[in-house]
Amino acid sequence: MTVLRVRGRALPAGEYVDLYADGDRWTTDPVPGAELVAEGWLLPGLVDAHTHPGAKEPGDPLDEDTLRADLHEHVNAGVTVIRSPGLAGDPPAWFGNDPDVPRATHAGPWIAQHGQFFDGWGRRPAHDELPAVAAAQAARTGWAKLIADWGIDDDPIPLDVLTEVVTLVHAVGGRVAVHSQQAAGGANAVAAKVDSLEHGMCLAPDLLAQMAAQGTALTPTLQALTGSLDEARAKPSSPRRDWYVNGAGAHHALVASAAEAGVTLLAGTDSHPHGRVADEIRAFAAAGMTPHDALGAASWTARAYLGYPGLIPGAPADVVVYDEDPRTDFDQLAVPRAVILRGLLAHRRP
């Protein structure tokens, strides 16, 4: 098998590197006969840290053909790592492992309270069973995903239950991701010291310093939450409309404040179509993050958070190569010169 080679300015630092794919690991040791695939600006692969592939509509069962097609859309966009904080079912063994799909971290099916979340999706244990269910899931896959709140009149998962979840999940070496779009649910998630807060709409900004101090990351799914704001504002006032307009309307400012407070921000797209993480990068920058940090939230920062090192010897052999520095021109993200995944060529522009 031909060894692949790339060279150029490696982000985030921009130092010049010459890398060879020794199987699924990078090396700087020259390999005679290696094929120079591309040179330019090197990114250690994009990351979508909040995506739910495998089902076309909420409540649909997991479908393997849909799952693979969704994952191919990610790869075509330069995504080499995903995190799925919630899936429509337990994925097949090839998920995250086959050479043509991104590396994947997942939390299995969602865990919600009775009467909440989409019908047909997730598990709904009683409060006294919920911590053990979450810990068992994290022991299998490394993550458990909880729906801390749902409807605008629903009670969130109680703080004592959520705190016990975090204790038991951490005891098995796992992490806890929590969905929240209500102030009370977000406050409980932060107080319980969860590992990542998903969406975080309506979160009180004065909790951001605590999140930064304790290492709770925020995946704001900014574009997914704000994309329909203009349409919602045109509707008559109602409790649900006002909740959404007020919460999503403050979300850009929340993201900017989180970045300023030092919270780890992760880029995630949440919904169909897949392969749109570049839209989230643009949304982060529009909210006030620097282009460097906005791109990092969908690449080196997210990879580090998920345990994947960047473009160094011994790291997984993932790279996306661009003609120009994508931090100065986000349009580069749509036209990569080459994508290498697991040391194999996934895409090369003619």
Side-chain angles (χ1 to χ4, degrees), residues 200-221:
M201 196 170 81
C202 300
L203 182 71
D206 60 6
L207 295 176
L208 294 171
Q210 181 180 346
M211 290 178 65
Q214 68 194 27
T216 298
L218 174 64
T219 316
T221 61

Side-chain angles (χ1 to χ4, degrees), residues 176-269:
V176 180
V178 165
H179 162 111
S180 174
Q181 293 179 265
Q182 314 283 354
N188 282 358
V190 175
K193 300 182 179 179
V194 304
D195 297 284
S196 73
L197 182 61
E198 309 302 305
H199 314 300
M201 196 170 81
C202 300
L203 182 71
D206 60 6
L207 295 176
L208 294 171
Q210 181 180 346
M211 290 178 65
Q214 68 194 27
T216 298
L218 174 64
T219 316
T221 61
L222 182 57
Q223 182 64 21
L225 288 182
T226 61
S228 301
L229 258 177
D230 289 343
E231 180 182 347
R233 286 175 173 138
K235 293 180 178 179
S237 179
S238 70
R240 183 169 179 80
R241 178 264 184 198
D242 294 346
W243 155 76
Y244 173 69
V245 168
N246 292 333
H251 215 46
H252 283 89
L254 180 71
V255 169
S257 296
E260 185 175 354
V263 175
T264 296
L265 282 151
L266 306 174
T269 57

Side-chain angles (χ1 to χ4, degrees), residues 46-182:
L46 290 169
V47 179
D48 192 328
H50 188 120
T51 179
H52 308 295
K56 293 181 178 179
E57 299 292 339
D60 284 354
L62 189 73
D63 177 80
E64 287 199 31
D65 291 338
T66 300
L67 180 61
R68 193 176 288 277
D70 291 344
L71 295 174
H72 285 169
E73 289 184 8
H74 280 298
V75 174
N76 291 341
V79 172
T80 59
V81 172
I82 65 165
R83 181 185 59 149
S84 293
L87 287 166
D90 289 314
W94 58 260
F95 177 72
N97 295 307
D98 275 9
D100 63 331
V101 300
R103 305 173 196 276
T105 300
H106 74 91
W110 297 265
I111 302 170
Q113 299 185 93
H114 288 289
Q116 299 184 20
F117 200 47
F118 295 111
D119 290 340
W121 275 4
R123 294 162 290 181
R124 291 163 179 78
H127 283 162
D128 61 345
E129 300 170 337
L130 198 153
V133 170
Q137 176 63 59
R140 288 190 296 271
T141 65
W143 282 86
K145 168 70 177 294
L146 280 71
I147 307 298
D149 53 50
W150 194 239
I152 58 175
D153 295 322
D154 290 337
D155 291 329
I157 294 177
L159 176 57
D160 62 333
V161 174
L162 205 50
T163 300
E164 182 68 8
V165 166
V166 172
T167 298
L168 293 188
V169 168
H170 286 180
V172 299
R175 286 169 153 184
V176 180
V178 165
H179 162 111
S180 174
Q181 293 179 265
Q182 314 283 354

